[in-house]
Amino acid sequence: MSNSSSITQFLLLPFTDTRELQLLHFWLFLGIYLAALLGNGLIITTIAWDQHLHTPMYFFLLNLALLDLGSISTTVPKSMANSLWDSRAISYLGCATQLFLFLFLITAEFYLLTVMSYDRYVAICKPLHYGTLLGSRACVHMAAAAWATGFLNALLHTANTFSLPLCKGNVLGQFFCEIPQILKLSCSHSFLRELGLLVVSACLAFMCFVFIVVSYVQILRAVLRIPSEQGRHKAFSTCLPHLAVVSLFVSTVMFACLKPPSISSPSLDLVVSVLYSVVPPTVNPLIYSMRNKEIKDSVWQLMNGCFLKQ
């Protein structure tokens, strides 16, 4: 038996114990991580560089890319290093820091996605009011509110989770520090307090998800009234992938936090965690930005400008 004061490190769950498969995991995650860095880095650089993209929609996309870059950098590099060096350890402080940063960034990202759905709703359904409802000051306030909400949520959950007495060892059934896995190590009924907070957070997330779905339903209804078939196809091809990514993100996070212990297994936990922690930051640049003609044109101009200078 041990308690939290005597724990100096946690042991993370490896994807495999076979050395060859560990190296395969390292190279696979390295490829995914570089793709996320390239995609989100291009978006950040392009929007900051091109004055024509200094509009509310691209301002929110810039914030989304920053959050994606931060969230995947919080979990994947540590997992890659552990596979490369055949290690499982993460320090107590490192685990707390990783948990805080990851919660901060994914919570802020989800609230930002909610704001972005509102932005698209106003742009398509109430275009005459767009300048009034989404002026530069309003956009900054909404983005700041998303970041601040993420910070407060992460601070509350991290402080509460790491204040629990831990007496069931230090082995986490996950490749990064995750609240449900830490709660399994708790040896008192105090974990019910954190479980209650998770349920409240899940309910708020579900309400935001309903808002996002309703916004996109209104957008699609407006799109159906567009006389141009090309215009309808463009709007559908934009909205439906957005909804798919948000649905994947919300469903996997809620499943990870609220699933009953009876259906929990190491392999299932790993798959679910990859789906909400690794996949969205990698595919968001493709779905939210690289399908956009203005972004693609600006990226080409930026790259051509860099090559011409050389």
Side-chain angles (χ1 to χ4, degrees):
M1 296 287 284
S2 62
N3 56 45
S4 53
S5 62
S6 64
I7 293 177
T8 59
Q9 66 176 14
F10 292 97
L11 298 179
L12 300 174
L13 179 69
F15 278 86
T16 176
D17 292 322
T18 307
R19 186 58 186 155
E20 290 76 11
L21 293 178
Q22 286 178 344
L23 294 176
L24 177 62
H25 162 243
F26 168 79
W27 289 111
L28 179 61
F29 263 35
L30 178 62
I32 292 173
Y33 186 55
L34 291 177
L37 288 180
L38 177 62
N40 289 293
L42 269 177
I43 291 168
I44 294 168
T45 305
T46 302
I47 295 176
W49 168 77
D50 193 340
Q51 296 289 330
H52 297 97
L53 299 181
H54 291 181
T55 62
M57 182 177 76
Y58 295 110
F59 170 72
F60 292 134
L61 282 175
L62 174 66
N63 279 267
L64 180 66
L66 287 169
L67 290 168
D68 279 335
L69 207 56
S71 65
I72 198 169
S73 296
T74 303
T75 58
V76 169
K78 177 60 178 174
S79 180
M80 289 164 50
N82 281 358
S83 290
L84 184 62
W85 302 114
D86 192 18
S87 172
R88 298 177 56 190
I90 183 171
S91 68
Y92 187 91
L93 180 59
C95 185
T97 302
Q98 186 183 68
L99 178 66
F100 171 78
L101 290 175
F102 185 68
L103 282 176
F104 168 36
L105 294 164
I106 66 165
T107 304
E109 177 171 335
F110 183 64
Y111 285 114
L112 185 69
L113 290 172
T114 307
V115 171
M116 290 171 66
S117 71
Y118 175 70
D119 168 69
R120 291 299 83 209
Y121 165 75
V122 175
I124 294 174
C125 301
K126 298 181 181 295
L128 297 179
H129 301 283
Y130 189 78
T132 304
L133 295 174
L134 284 154
S136 57
R137 180 173 295 182
C139 291
V140 170
H141 287 169
M142 285 189 284
W147 285 82
T149 303
F151 179 84
L152 292 174
N153 179 73
L155 187 64
L156 178 64
H157 282 289
T158 305
N160 194 55
T161 299
F162 281 90
S163 67
L164 298 174
L166 307 178
C167 63
K168 297 180 181 178
N170 64 338
V171 179
L172 300 178
Q174 191 52 272
F175 76 95
F176 66 94
C177 292
E178 187 186 54
I179 289 178
Q181 299 299 328
I182 298 174
L183 293 184
K184 291 180 180 180
L185 305 180
S186 177
C187 53
S188 76
H189 293 293
S190 301
F191 79 93
L192 294 174
R193 181 179 56 194
E194 176 58 26
L195 195 60
L197 286 175
L198 285 175
V199 172
V200 172
S201 297
C203 290
L204 291 175
F206 182 73
M207 290 171 60
C208 289
F209 177 64
V210 170
F211 178 85
I212 292 172
V213 171
V214 170
S215 298
Y216 278 114
V217 167
Q218 295 299 318
I219 290 170
L220 293 174
R221 289 178 60 186
V223 166
L224 289 174
R225 294 194 291 267
I226 297 176
S228 165
E229 184 176 345
Q230 183 179 1
R232 289 199 302 271
H233 175 73
K234 180 181 178 182
F236 274 118
S237 67
T238 301
C239 294
L240 294 179
H242 290 193
L243 266 180
V245 172
V246 173
S247 300
L248 175 68
F249 179 74
V250 173
S251 60
T252 49
V253 169
M254 292 184 70
F255 182 77
C257 293
L258 304 178
K259 68 180 183 298
S262 58
I263 63 172
S264 180
S265 69
S267 57
L268 178 63
D269 291 344
L270 282 175
V271 170
V272 170
S273 63
V274 168
L275 287 177
Y276 78 78
S277 66
V278 177
V279 173
T282 308
V283 302
N284 277 345
L286 295 174
I287 289 179
Y288 282 93
S289 303
M290 292 308 179
R291 295 166 61 92
N292 184 296
K293 187 177 184 301
E294 291 180 309
I295 286 280
K296 287 191 288 188
D297 291 344
S298 295
V299 168
W300 282 117
Q301 290 176 18
L302 176 62
M303 294 176 70
N304 289 334
C306 292
F307 286 129
L308 287 174
K309 286 182 181 179
Q310 293 177 356

